[in-house]
């Protein structure tokens, strides 16, 4: 939540910062602002999107080689010009941008007001900068020292950048809990919440660790801990390409990402599985193979779409590897005093690798001795670094707020994991394993086929774009897909949608069904097919409108349903990778037809770094 960017070097700072903020807008987009050193320490900020700020800046003096910017997702204080970042201190000599939440801001604010500090906004971030100013004045110390000391006073999460009027060549940054990357260029430095604003200029980056402070002064980078211990920066070379974070001719990132799935699924398998030679290997698992083979239990923690991928994994792992699996919302798990021990494995799934609740769930599980395995998409992210072992999903950057290709990449990696553990434990016999491997290899081309349904789905979307409610039903492996389909629709089109296990419909949702109610039923040929046929009949008997996702060649469901979307046949273990595709497309087109901003839906953010 909230994106931050800063620059110091030989170029004009403002265009770099604005472009960077646009790349980070997925993290928040209710207001934006920029601070520049142009003779003075000037702050410009506006409610609305980065484009609104950009338009406002056109009439301002934005020259300067050092500056910082912020795109906000409101936590403390409504989205308006005043609450937008950057925030000045009382003297207006220093300014801050902040991503995170300061939990003890109210008590700090009270103390600071008693000492004469004044506040313009309702934000916790303005408290942070005044605290720094107060510490600097009381201790008569340098600004970096004041920032370092302030890190001992604040409780909560932060990635901050501080600029000072009297230090026109200095950027100070610090983090705890929220991500911060330093880009190291030729005589220039960048700071950002992730690497996307940086890679156009340099692929050399340093990921700041929690409780570290980066001081960039006169072309030098100095990293220290909050205990003032000097650190040697570990410079990493990123492989990310610029085109992977651009729209590439698509109208929206979401559509581009849906269409990228044949490739992203393949990339998530690459090097890990070759059916022909029976090669199946994942380095993260190999290290902890014995732990996995002898695990008592696997607990999956995640949020949102990643939690849905976790539910698919529950079916996969229990079926193929015969280890009991529990899937937990990270936000509940972390406060529940869960029972865990050294024989438990916790799998944390997160696209961004920054979700605050998932990170906290990991810390809790670690403290109870469990082994933590991470499945993340963003390389170098906090979760990837907090786990004992893990596997990246290799889906490439996902910019659309509603997750699509990250979900199928997560399911792919989880399928490989279930197959590996199953074969090591002897619960998945060799012939069956080989069949699954061969079938998994065909999935990218079958996803390609499913994407050809786009035009047909546009026609269905036209008929249902104005509905107020929608029900999604599925059973077995398709139950999590029903949840995911409903989540996609509500996230981006603001239509109320509910996903349900098809049989459970009788215990409530059936009361909602009338001739106005669209019911999306995932009714592919699998072990629960006959049961789902009955569920479709139950919906039709109450005059509901059935949009059915069926296996190619099915004749039974098409005789009953109002609309039929045919997807290729595959093993039921792999079906979520195909059945989710039409649901992603349906949500996308309905949202576009309703005039919604699909890449940046209201109130949401891609990376939820606050609890
Ligand atoms: C937010 C995003 C979702 C995502 C969820 C979990 O709600 O909008 O798309 O599924 O966070 O994020 P993670 O990065 O941990 O997968």
């Amino acid at each position: 939540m909230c994106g931050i960017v800063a620059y110091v070097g030989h170029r004009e700072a403002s265009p770099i910062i604005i472009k960077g903020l646009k790349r980070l807008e997925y993290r928040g987009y209710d207001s934006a602002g920029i601070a520049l050193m142009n003779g003075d320490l000037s702050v410009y900020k506006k409610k609305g999107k980065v484009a609104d700020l950009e338009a406002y800046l056109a009439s301002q003096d934005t020259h300067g080689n050092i500056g910082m910017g912020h795109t906000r997702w409101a936590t403390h204080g409504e989205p308006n010009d005043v609450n937008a970042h950057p925030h000045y201190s009382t003297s207006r000599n220093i300014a801050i941008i902040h991503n995170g939440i300061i939990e003890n801001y109210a008590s700090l604010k009270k103390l600071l007001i008693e000492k004469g500090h004044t506040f313009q906004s309702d934000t916790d971030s303005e408290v942070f900068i005044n605290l720094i100013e107060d510490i600097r004045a009381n201790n008569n110390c340098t600004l970096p020292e004041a920032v370092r000391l302030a890190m001992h006073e604040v409780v909560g999460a932060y990635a901050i950048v501080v600029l000072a009027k009297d230090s026109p060549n200095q950027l100070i940054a610090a983090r705890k809990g929220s991500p911060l990357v330093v880009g190291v260029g030729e005589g220039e430095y960048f700071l950002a919440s992730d690497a996307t604003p940086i890679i156009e200029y340099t692929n050399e980056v340093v990921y700041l660790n929690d409780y570290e402070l980066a001081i960039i002064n006169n072309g030098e980078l100095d990293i220290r801990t909050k205990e003032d211990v000097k650190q040697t920066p570990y410079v990493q070379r990123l492989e990310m390409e610029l085109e992977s974070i651009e729209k590439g001719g698509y109208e929206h990132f979401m559509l581009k990402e849906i269409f990228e799935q044949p490739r992203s699924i393949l990339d998530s398998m690459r090097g890990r599985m070759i059916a022909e030679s029976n090669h199946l290997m994942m380095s993260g698992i190999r290290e902890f193979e014995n732990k996995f083979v002898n695990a008592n239990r696997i607990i999956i923690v995640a949020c949102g779409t990643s939690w849905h991928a976790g539910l698919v994994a529950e079916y996969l792992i229990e079926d193929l590897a015969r280890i009991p699996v529990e899937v937990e919302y990270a936000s509940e798990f972390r406060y529940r005093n869960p029972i865990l021990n050294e024989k438990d494995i916790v799998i944390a799934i997160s696209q961004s690798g920054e979700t605050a609740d998932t990170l906290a769930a990991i810390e809790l599980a670690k403290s109870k001795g469990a082994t933590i395995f991470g499945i993340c998409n963003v390389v170098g992210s906090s979760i990837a670094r907090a786990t004992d072992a893990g596997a990246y999903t290799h889906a490439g950057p996902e910019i659309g707020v509603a997750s699509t290709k990250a979900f199928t990449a997560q399911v792919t990696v989880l399928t490989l994991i279930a197959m590996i553990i199953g074969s090591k434990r002897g619960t998945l016999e060799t012939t069956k394993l080989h069949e699954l491997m061969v079938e998994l290899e065909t999935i990218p081309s079958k996803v390609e086929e499913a994407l050809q349904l786009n035009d047909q789905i546009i026609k269905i979307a036209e008929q249902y774009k104005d509905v107020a409610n929608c029900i999604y039903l599925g059973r077995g492996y398709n139950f999590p897909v029903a949840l995911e389909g409903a989540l996609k629709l509500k996230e981006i089109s603001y239509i109320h949608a509910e996903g349900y296990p098809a049989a459970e419909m009788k215990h409530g949702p059936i009361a909602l069904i009338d001739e106005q109610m669209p019911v999306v039923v995932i009714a592919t040929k699998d072990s629960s097919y006959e049961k789902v046929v009955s569920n479709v009949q139950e919906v039709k008997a109450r005059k509901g409108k059935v949009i059915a996702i069926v296996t190619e060649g099915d004749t039974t469901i098409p005789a009953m349903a109002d609309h039929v979307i045919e997807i290729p046949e595959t093993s039921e273990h792999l079906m979520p990778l195909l059945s989710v595709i039409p649901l992603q497309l349906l949500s996308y087109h309905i949202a576009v037809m309703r005039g919604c901003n699909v890449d940046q839906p209201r109130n949401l953010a891609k990376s939820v770094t606050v609890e």
Side-chain angles (χ1 to χ4, degrees):
M1 326 230 92
C2 301
I4 63 181
V5 191
Y7 174 79
V8 59
H10 45 82
R11 310 180 208 222
E12 283 293 312
S14 154
I16 294 173
I17 294 168
I18 292 294
K19 202 172 196 185
L21 290 179
K22 286 187 177 163
R23 297 229 159 101
L24 292 180
E25 249 185 329
Y26 72 86
R27 302 177 64 88
Y29 34 79
D30 60 42
S31 50
I34 185 167
L36 295 161
M37 212 77 86
N38 49 7
D40 200 354
L41 172 56
S42 306
V43 168
Y44 309 99
K45 46 195 198 172
K46 273 266 157 260
K47 178 181 173 184
K49 298 275 165 69
V50 176
D52 299 311
L53 172 71
E54 194 178 21
Y56 168 61
L57 290 179
S59 57
Q60 307 294 327
D61 170 16
T62 57
H63 289 300
N65 306 114
I66 176 167
M68 61 187 187
H70 184 274
T71 176
R72 181 168 185 249
W73 187 88
T75 56
H76 295 65
E78 63 172 282
N80 60 27
D81 291 358
V82 177
N83 288 330
H85 296 217
H87 292 285
Y88 282 121
S89 63
T90 303
S91 70
R92 298 170 76 90
N93 286 331
I94 54 177
I96 193 168
I97 50 173
H98 169 216
N99 163 212
I101 287 189
I102 303 306
E103 289 165 12
N104 58 340
Y105 84 102
S107 55
L108 289 171
K109 188 169 183 175
K110 194 162 167 272
L111 277 176
L112 290 163
I113 290 173
E114 280 163 18
K115 289 173 149 191
H117 291 267
T118 54
F119 292 87
Q120 317 299 318
S121 75
D122 304 318
T123 64
D124 50 343
S125 316
E126 197 183 6
V127 173
F128 204 153
I129 193 68
N130 276 290
L131 175 69
I132 293 169
E133 178 160 278
D134 193 65
I135 291 175
R136 189 187 191 188
N138 290 340
N139 295 274
N140 196 17
C141 61
T142 62
L143 187 60
E145 183 63 1
V147 173
R148 189 180 73 74
L149 294 173
M151 291 166 77
H152 290 263
E153 306 279 323
V154 293
V155 177
Y158 54 84
I160 56 164
V161 184
V162 174
L163 266 180
K165 198 193 264 187
D166 62 6
S167 309
N169 297 311
Q170 178 178 262
L171 282 175
I172 304 165
R175 77 159 271 188
K176 193 249 145 176
S178 304
L180 200 51
V181 189
V182 185
V184 183
E186 291 276 328
E188 58 184 352
Y189 288 94
F190 306 79
L191 289 162
S193 301
D194 71 27
T196 56
I198 298 174
I199 54 161
E200 190 169 344
Y201 312 99
T202 175
N203 57 4
E204 303 217 323
V205 298
V206 178
Y207 287 96
L208 224 55
N209 292 312
D210 273 350
Y211 299 115
E212 279 183 351
L213 185 72
I215 305 138
I216 301 164
N217 199 5
N218 289 318
E220 298 290 325
L221 169 67
D222 182 19
I223 296 182
R224 296 179 174 265
T225 65
K226 79 172 182 167
E227 272 67 48
D228 208 21
V229 180
K230 195 173 170 59
Q231 303 295 102
T232 309
Y234 169 52
V235 181
Q236 295 188 40
R237 186 170 275 272
L238 287 182
E239 310 257 311
M240 200 189 287
E241 281 164 18
L242 191 58
E243 65 186 37
S244 69
I245 54 168
E246 294 186 332
K247 279 191 206 150
Y250 286 89
E251 202 183 332
H252 296 101
F253 279 111
M254 184 179 175
L255 190 62
K256 175 187 173 227
E257 288 156 6
I258 291 173
F259 274 83
E260 274 174 354
Q261 289 175 104
R263 210 210 59 216
S264 52
I265 292 173
L266 189 64
D267 286 346
S268 297
M269 294 187 230
R270 203 183 295 284
R272 292 170 170 162
M273 188 189 80
I274 304 165
E276 201 185 4
S277 53
N278 265 323
H279 167 79
L280 181 60
M281 201 276 290
M282 197 176 275
S283 47
I285 296 274
R286 195 162 56 177
E287 239 179 284
F288 285 86
E289 195 174 296
N290 281 341
K291 287 244 178 201
F292 270 100
V293 168
N294 299 311
N296 265 350
R297 216 168 38 137
I298 292 180
I299 296 136
I300 297 180
V301 293
C303 302
T305 290
S306 299
W307 185 79
H308 295 157
L311 284 182
V312 177
E314 180 178 21
Y315 286 82
L316 284 165
I317 297 173
E318 290 202 341
D319 190 15
L320 303 179
R322 308 303 295 151
I323 300 175
V325 179
E326 286 163 33
V327 188
E328 300 267 0
Y329 285 117
S331 54
E332 288 298 315
F333 179 82
R334 64 180 288 195
Y335 289 119
R336 202 169 45 80
N337 193 15
I339 302 161
L340 280 171
N341 62 39
E342 299 75 32
K343 290 204 78 181
D344 292 326
I345 294 190
V346 170
I347 301 184
I349 310 174
S350 174
Q351 186 287 129
S352 63
E354 301 294 346
T355 301
D357 283 321
T358 310
L359 203 48
I362 290 172
E363 296 307 336
L364 176 71
K366 256 190 194 170
S367 72
K368 294 186 183 269
T371 300
I372 322 288
F373 190 88
I375 297 179
C376 296
N377 193 37
V378 176
V379 176
S381 54
S382 302
I383 293 176
R385 292 186 296 152
T387 48
D388 297 309
Y392 283 116
T393 42
H394 302 306
E398 190 181 65
I399 314 269
V401 165
S403 189
T404 52
K405 65 173 178 172
F407 173 77
T408 46
Q410 287 165 345
V411 172
T412 305
V413 168
L414 288 158
T415 307
L416 293 173
I417 291 174
M419 284 159 57
I420 294 170
I421 316 173
S423 81
K424 300 285 176 207
R425 281 170 59 86
T427 51
L428 176 57
E429 56 159 63
T430 321
T431 341
K432 171 86 179 143
L433 171 67
H434 186 71
E435 273 169 27
L436 266 178
M437 286 167 76
V438 170
E439 189 55 30
L440 187 53
E441 272 182 354
T442 68
I443 290 293
S445 64
K446 290 183 176 173
V447 170
E448 196 78 66
E449 274 180 61
L451 289 167
Q452 307 304 315
L453 297 162
N454 196 35
D455 289 344
Q456 187 201 346
I457 291 170
I458 291 175
K459 294 202 181 85
I460 299 175
E462 270 159 6
Q463 290 186 48
Y464 293 95
K465 68 179 179 3
D466 296 320
V467 299
N469 298 289
C470 190
I471 294 176
Y472 285 73
L473 302 176
R475 291 182 89 136
Y477 284 90
N478 282 324
F479 160 53
V481 179
L483 295 181
E484 177 59 9
L487 177 65
K488 285 293 83 88
L489 189 69
K490 67 186 138 195
E491 277 180 310
I492 60 170
S493 73
Y494 319 139
I495 293 173
H496 170 241
E498 293 204 39
Y500 249 78
E504 196 60 23
M505 170 185 71
K506 288 194 278 297
H507 301 285
I510 200 162
L512 300 169
I513 294 174
D514 59 17
E515 58 279 7
Q516 311 298 330
M517 180 64 85
V519 182
V520 178
V521 188
I522 311 159
T524 50
K525 283 275 172 61
D526 56 28
S527 49
S528 34
Y529 174 74
E530 301 300 338
K531 308 276 177 201
V532 179
V533 170
S534 307
N535 299 138
V536 171
Q537 269 159 343
E538 288 154 12
V539 174
K540 281 318 295 173
R542 285 148 188 94
K543 301 195 166 48
K545 296 274 180 297
V546 171
I547 303 162
I549 315 294
V550 303
T551 307
E552 258 163 15
D554 186 0
T555 50
T556 312
I557 301 255
M560 301 175 218
D562 298 86
H563 307 272
V564 172
I565 299 170
E566 286 194 17
I567 58 173
E569 192 173 1
T570 188
S571 151
E572 71 178 313
H573 299 93
L574 309 179
M575 191 48 95
L577 293 166
L578 298 183
S579 55
V580 77
I581 306 289
L583 305 190
Q584 295 169 342
L585 287 168
L586 185 66
S587 309
Y588 170 79
H589 290 298
I590 289 180
V592 170
M593 288 170 194
R594 287 166 72 91
C596 300
N597 184 340
V598 291
D599 281 339
Q600 296 171 348
R602 71 182 180 207
N603 304 341
L604 297 177
K606 182 132 195 88
S607 174
V608 181
T609 56
V610 295
E611 64 168 294

